[in-house]
Amino acid sequence: MRIAKAVIGLLALAALVGCSSPTYGGGGGGGGGGGGGPVGQIAVGNILFQSAHNGTQNPAIDTVAVGSTVTWTWTGTGTVAHSVQSQGAPNFPSSAILTGNGMTYSFTFTTAGTYQYDCAVHGAAMSGRIVVR
């Protein structure tokens, strides 16, 4: 009985330690880490969009001021193609489908709103949201 209680206690402690992780959505290809980078910088990785600012991914969520430029940078994608495809309204011009590390796509948001996007190649498996205030 004592061993069972000890095992349950250790499992509860492990669960609490796991909840204190500074990143969102786990790891995975693409870099960007757990955040701390500039607002409006999004890493495009293999099957993920990740905010460099706060670490959120799929959806990557960034809040920017009207007039801010958001830049998506292909990081750790190798030969896998990705894009930034605006979804719904309001919308913004979508990028071309691009392949290769270091590729970038930027857009300056001049109107307040919540802008949804995904990848034209991978659909909802890669998603993000830009909130413009």
Side-chain angles (χ1 to χ4, degrees):
M1 195 65 167
R2 283 186 187 184
I3 292 175
K5 286 182 181 179
V7 169
I8 290 171
L10 287 173
L11 290 173
L13 180 60
L16 288 173
V17 169
C19 289
S20 67
S21 174
T23 61
Y24 301 90
V39 172
Q41 299 293 312
I42 311 291
V44 179
N46 280 328
I47 321 300
L48 70 82
F49 288 113
Q50 184 175 41
S51 168
H53 179 66
N54 58 36
T56 56
Q57 68 182 37
N58 293 338
I61 302 170
D62 266 287
T63 301
V64 300
V66 170
S68 295
T69 299
V70 174
T71 300
W72 291 263
T73 302
W74 279 237
T75 306
T77 59
T79 60
V80 179
H82 298 289
S83 74
V84 177
Q85 175 177 261
S86 184
Q87 294 291 313
N91 61 22
F92 60 95
S94 298
S95 77
I97 294 174
L98 302 171
T99 302
N101 294 332
M103 302 300 290
T104 62
Y105 174 69
S106 296
F107 181 73
T108 301
F109 290 87
T110 58
T111 304
T114 299
Y115 298 80
Q116 307 284 343
Y117 63 91
D118 68 9
C119 173
V121 177
H122 298 99
M126 291 178 67
S127 64
R129 178 172 48 239
I130 304 296
V131 179
V132 182
R133 295 187 177 158

